Amino acid sequence: MQIHTSIESIRKARRQAGKVAFVPTMGNLHEGHITLMRQAGENADAVIASIFVNRLQFGPSEDFNKYPRTLAADCEKLEAAGVAHLFAPDESLMYPEPQTYHVEPAPAQISILEGEFRPGHFRGVATVVLKLLNIVQPDTALLGKKDYQQLMVLTNMVRQLALPVEVLPGETVRAPDGLALSSRNGYLSEAERAEAPRLYRQLTHIRDAVRTGDHDFLKLETEAMTALTEEGWMPDYIAVRRRADLQPPVHEDDPLVVLAAAKLGRTRLIDNLEI
């Protein structure tokens, strides 16, 4: 695997690589990321990954400086997964001057759910991903369903801006007990890790109830929030929404997804299940 720290170097490698699949990350990689890398390689001549901790998507109360930087371990995992090239720029390369031009996603899509609790987050995500896509110029980009709202925002950005890249979603990778793999899981204590799968079980209950004809979404959401609270969680939201735009369902045949975010101790976990 070749490691690139300049735009000129990664663009030269891309020109020589044939059909390219791209997986952007912030590092601190786990098996969910590696599964995306393997999926990316199924229909491409070369996989390019990026590792960049993006300051623009961190809120004032989120500690950018404490985000785990594990480049050496990440490189070993990427090479084992068959990744051909890693773009690992430093901040001065990505933002050599103050970033005064930004991508502004549709307000209705980023003022809800994660956007309500992390204002400005998706603006920062969309801006850096657009910049990375412009630098790497891949044929396809692999994005995980674990961050469902992020996937929606970026898919819509690519479509509306007519970017010459196909966004491919990757399924959420889970531990045997159902917990969605996440870099944040490392912050859980032993007791919290044992409790954490309850979030997935609540989503599974809602999914199964809706599939069997229960469309009282408010009741299902409220019951799940209460069940988590009673076990010491601090839920931000549990919501059944349309997959296309994450707005409340209107028609019975709308493809749906149930999404959740909740704090367990100091760790904020997110998850979702398509219905």
Side-chain angles (χ1 to χ4, degrees), residues 12-236:
K12 180 180 179 181
R14 190 271 168 270
R15 288 193 296 270
Q16 299 171 350
K19 184 177 181 181
V20 165
F22 176 52
V23 186
T25 82
M26 290 207 302
N28 194 26
L29 303 180
H30 53 69
E31 188 58 32
H33 294 110
I34 301 308
T35 299
L36 273 182
M37 305 295 169
R38 296 193 185 103
Q39 181 182 342
E42 291 174 359
N43 295 297
D45 298 314
V47 176
I48 297 177
S50 67
I51 292 177
F52 177 66
V53 184
N54 176 41
R55 186 185 299 270
L56 295 187
Q57 68 194 69
F58 284 77
S61 62
E62 300 171 337
D63 198 337
F64 165 82
N65 293 316
K66 288 186 178 179
Y67 189 88
R69 274 80 165 173
T70 56
L71 183 61
D74 291 343
C75 287
E76 291 180 6
K77 294 175 183 177
L78 293 174
E79 189 155 20
V83 173
H85 300 278
L86 170 64
F87 181 47
D90 63 24
E91 195 169 31
S92 65
L93 182 74
M94 289 297 289
Y95 303 123
E97 58 186 287
Q99 188 71 28
T100 55
Y101 286 74
H102 298 87
V103 177
E104 294 288 352
Q109 294 179 10
I110 63 169
S111 62
I112 57 173
L113 304 172
E114 284 299 284
E116 179 182 349
F117 293 92
R118 304 182 69 187
H121 172 69
F122 291 114
R123 181 180 190 252
V125 169
T127 299
V128 77
V129 170
L130 177 60
K131 198 162 190 173
L132 288 167
L133 291 175
N134 282 334
I135 291 169
V136 177
Q137 301 177 5
D139 298 285
T140 59
L142 280 288
L143 302 172
K145 288 185 180 181
K146 161 94 169 21
D147 296 293
Y148 206 90
Q149 190 170 3
Q150 173 176 286
L151 173 63
M152 178 203 67
V153 167
L154 295 177
T155 300
N156 291 344
M157 177 189 77
V158 165
R159 185 186 69 254
Q160 290 205 4
L161 297 181
L163 301 183
V165 58
E166 180 184 9
V167 175
L168 300 177
E171 296 296 332
T172 300
V173 179
R174 300 184 180 278
D177 59 9
L179 178 65
L181 298 190
S182 170
S183 300
R184 296 176 182 176
N185 294 352
Y187 298 130
L188 296 169
S189 68
E190 185 176 348
E192 289 167 347
R193 176 60 186 84
E195 170 63 23
R198 188 181 303 275
L199 184 64
Y200 172 69
R201 294 198 296 270
Q202 290 298 327
L203 294 180
T204 301
H205 172 74
I206 292 175
R207 180 197 64 188
D208 294 346
V210 173
R211 284 181 174 178
T212 55
D214 188 347
H215 289 171
D216 191 342
F217 302 134
L218 180 59
K219 176 192 65 123
L220 293 171
E221 294 162 359
T222 301
E223 288 175 351
M225 295 267 282
T226 299
L228 288 177
T229 301
E230 289 175 347
E231 297 297 330
W233 294 68
M234 294 175 285
D236 286 338

